[in-house]
Amino acid sequence: MLTLYRREEQTWTYREAWFDETAQEFVIHYGALGTNGKITAEKAGSEEADQLLESFQAQCREDGFEEAPAESLTELRLIYPLKARQPSSSEERNVQTVHREVLAALAWRGLGAVSDPEVETQENGHASVMRFSTLHQGKARDAVKSAVRGSDVPASKVELRLG
């Protein structure tokens, strides 16, 4: 997947593209950062995908889109504390649910992609941690909170922190 951004006065816009091998479609997703984007797709074979992605990238660059500037990104961590070193089956289910819901909430709004969960040692034991970087911390925080509230995982089990 290729994601590019452009700053326009007070807002960011994004364009991203990928090849969906299952559907055999080249997909373009675009919009204003923090809002649900629009999507277009066209049938394509895997042999055409690289050429379509190159054309997409060239057009985006011509239109002023580029990778997100590192100095504009904020890294956030989504933390699910664990009772032991490894997650129990219910904790694993909850972590996977949070991951799926948050990934969808962020990605469809151009706010970033959350990493796969990793167990890390924390100050109070162990936790399953998912990381992401975003251009808009406030909108990303709102999207994460909404995604967690919309799941069946208690919001009190999930922490969102800087860094």
Side-chain angles (χ1 to χ4, degrees):
M1 178 162 57
L2 174 66
T3 305
L4 302 170
Y5 301 89
R6 180 175 66 191
R7 182 83 171 157
E8 295 177 1
E9 294 182 27
Q10 299 298 319
T11 188
W12 289 91
T13 57
Y14 65 93
R15 289 182 187 167
E16 54 191 9
W18 64 90
F19 179 65
D20 182 336
E21 289 185 32
T22 305
Q24 290 291 292
E25 292 180 333
F26 184 73
V27 182
I28 297 175
H29 176 235
Y30 59 96
L33 194 72
T35 63
N36 282 334
K38 295 180 179 157
I39 201 165
T40 62
E42 64 180 72
K43 287 289 184 192
S46 54
E47 63 281 348
E48 298 170 275
D50 288 338
Q51 183 180 0
L52 288 168
L53 194 59
E54 286 176 21
S55 296
F56 171 80
Q57 185 173 17
Q59 183 62 55
C60 286
R61 299 252 187 245
E62 189 175 307
D63 294 344
F65 286 81
E66 56 190 32
E67 285 82 13
E71 65 274 5
S72 298
L73 291 171
T74 300
E75 185 174 320
L76 296 169
R77 293 179 299 146
L78 196 54
I79 302 168
Y80 187 98
L82 303 173
K83 293 177 183 171
R85 180 177 212 86
Q86 292 299 316
S88 67
S89 58
S90 65
E91 288 173 329
E92 182 65 29
R93 185 199 68 79
N94 285 347
V95 166
Q96 291 304 320
T97 297
V98 168
H99 181 261
R100 181 183 61 250
E101 296 299 322
V102 169
L103 178 61
L106 294 174
W108 290 116
R109 292 168 179 84
L111 291 167
V114 66
S115 69
D116 288 336
E118 292 184 17
V119 174
E120 295 181 9
T121 302
Q122 302 288 305
E123 57 272 4
N124 295 330
H126 295 86
S128 189
V129 179
M130 297 158 268
R131 299 175 187 282
F132 65 96
S133 295
T134 186
L135 285 168
H136 200 295
Q137 182 184 165
K139 288 182 180 185
R141 282 180 177 278
D142 290 345
V144 167
K145 288 176 186 176
S146 176
V148 171
R149 278 193 310 268
S151 75
D152 63 353
V153 177
S156 61
K157 298 269 187 189
V158 181
E159 300 172 45
L160 184 59
R161 295 186 190 165
L162 279 174

